Amino acid sequence: MGVHSMKRLVLTLLLCVANPAWGSDEGFNGRWVIEPLGDNNGRVMWLEISGAGAGPISGFMVGGGPGGQLDPIHDAKIEGGQLAFHLERLFRRDGSRLIKTPVVAALQGDVLHGAAMRGQRTILWLGKRAPALLDRDDGSWKQSEPVALLNGRDLSGWHTLRPGREEGWYVEGGILKNHRRADLLVSDQAFWNFRLQVEFLVHPGMNGGIGLRGRYEVQILDDHGTPASDHGNAALYGRIAPTVNASRPAREWQSLDVRLVGRELTVELNGVKTIDRKIIDGFTAMATDWREDMPGPITLQGDHGAVEFRKIVVTPLTQ
């Protein structure tokens, strides 16, 4: 399906809604949380647009293209009330394989109706404006009763994102481990503001991630001795880089101490504060829950290599 076919598809979506109200070009601006329609393996998306109706249009998208990173949009324009752009991703270091993902969207009232073309597959979606999260880490939050999410015996308290794939995770010697290509593991409990304490081990060349509220990924990576980056160990994946790389070598146990209040994030890796009350702009690639103003689960990524966990404790914060 080409871009013109996708535009017709989005227009059909709008015409199926009673009394459609086309929005102004400026209405596209802002940050949007996106719920895909149909089967998208439980993943959600995020979009930011600026400049619509006033000049060159720019922005970023998470989850629209392959790989799910924070991708800049390209060649954005609005014609006939519809926004069209594409995402780009290089899949070879020499640039010989460039994948382009066309995306179109139309605004009805305060809802975006859109579609993204991944290969031969079209993903339809609905976007709503990202909510304002007013909580601040201002010293008024107190720790309540800790919740231990690992029991050292089995997967009680957890489920996989796609039902029936629990065999990708197992407990051995009191340690939570994963098989290759394990599905995302999701805590049964949901949390809002909290302190999260994790002890983990990553195998050589491997990586994983820990999802906060099922929306924001703290990266786990074997990157000892390399420069700190927004894709490195203890980074907020693709968004916030640690101030320093405090990673230990592969196969050594490491500790994460994460504090999340509203959108404010603080991270300590192995006793070193690496992110200090930085604001999270929006979702990362691990996002599975688009309801950003609601409590969400802790999630564990296991499809990028061997990782191990021996402690995951969440302490809710209350006022």
Side-chain angles (χ1 to χ4, degrees):
M1 181 184 293
V3 173
H4 294 296
S5 298
M6 289 180 63
K7 287 184 177 180
R8 288 195 296 270
L9 184 58
V10 175
L11 179 59
T12 301
L13 274 176
L14 284 171
L15 292 176
C16 290
V17 181
N19 301 317
W22 294 84
S24 66
D25 291 356
E26 292 84 358
F28 286 101
N29 292 321
R31 293 172 177 168
W32 302 85
V33 293
I34 296 174
E35 179 186 16
L37 304 176
D39 181 19
N40 191 39
N41 294 331
R43 299 304 177 94
V44 299
M45 299 184 284
W46 181 93
L47 175 66
E48 180 175 8
I49 296 293
S50 59
I57 302 172
S58 61
F60 297 89
M61 192 171 194
V62 172
Q69 300 184 54
L70 181 67
D71 292 311
I73 67 175
H74 296 270
D75 298 330
K77 58 184 178 180
I78 300 173
E79 294 180 347
Q82 294 194 61
L83 170 67
F85 59 86
H86 72 266
L87 309 174
E88 296 184 355
R89 180 66 56 81
L90 289 173
F91 274 84
R92 292 193 182 128
R93 293 183 180 229
D94 61 3
S96 61
R97 188 185 177 201
L98 177 65
I99 302 296
K100 292 186 177 183
T101 302
V103 181
V104 295
L107 185 63
Q108 186 208 10
D110 213 25
V111 177
L112 277 182
H113 299 250
M117 183 70 181
R118 295 184 188 168
Q120 298 302 311
R121 181 170 170 238
T122 300
I123 298 173
L124 305 180
W125 50 262
L126 295 178
K128 298 181 180 180
R129 293 198 180 275
L133 305 185
L134 302 180
D135 291 346
R136 295 292 180 265
D137 197 359
D138 56 6
S140 64
W141 297 89
K142 309 300 181 185
Q143 296 189 108
S144 57
E145 192 68 22
V147 179
L149 295 182
L150 299 183
N151 64 19
R153 301 183 304 275
D154 54 32
L155 296 181
S156 297
W158 297 86
H159 61 276
T160 49
L161 184 63
R162 290 171 287 184
R165 301 203 176 196
E166 284 76 13
E167 73 281 353
W169 295 87
Y170 64 101
V171 177
E172 182 178 72
I175 308 299
L176 177 64
K177 302 180 181 181
N178 66 307
H179 294 297
R180 183 177 178 84
R181 298 296 179 187
D183 195 30
L184 201 70
L185 196 62
V186 182
S187 68
D188 292 345
Q189 295 189 56
F191 305 93
W192 183 239
N193 296 329
F194 56 83
R195 178 188 183 191
L196 171 67
Q197 296 166 284
V198 178
E199 293 181 4
F200 71 94
L201 178 152
V202 61
H203 287 251
M206 301 292 116
N207 78 82
I210 301 173
L212 312 178
R213 299 191 195 129
R215 297 165 198 136
Y216 320 118
E217 176 187 356
V218 176
Q219 169 83 311
I220 290 175
L221 182 67
D222 171 26
D223 68 350
H224 174 69
T226 66
S229 81
D230 61 8
H231 282 60
N233 199 23
L236 186 72
Y237 184 74
R239 289 192 178 272
I240 303 176
T243 55
V244 63
N245 184 346
S247 299
R248 293 175 181 165
R251 295 198 179 98
E252 289 190 15
W253 285 102
Q254 305 189 57
S255 64
L256 271 173
D257 197 327
V258 178
R259 185 178 174 93
L260 180 62
V261 176
R263 296 186 188 276
E264 290 188 24
L265 176 69
T266 298
V267 177
E268 291 186 8
L269 176 62
N270 300 319
V272 179
K273 185 174 287 186
T274 56
I275 296 175
D276 188 9
R277 291 182 57 190
K278 296 295 185 181
I279 299 297
I280 299 174
D281 288 334
F283 295 169
T284 64
M286 273 181 66
T288 58
D289 189 337
W290 63 272
R291 301 164 301 171
E292 199 173 14
D293 56 352
M294 299 291 290
I298 302 300
T299 56
L300 305 178
Q301 184 182 55
D303 63 349
H304 281 46
V307 292
E308 302 180 14
F309 299 92
R310 68 181 182 188
K311 176 182 177 180
I312 301 178
V313 175
V314 180
T315 302
L317 300 175
T318 59
Q319 287 184 314

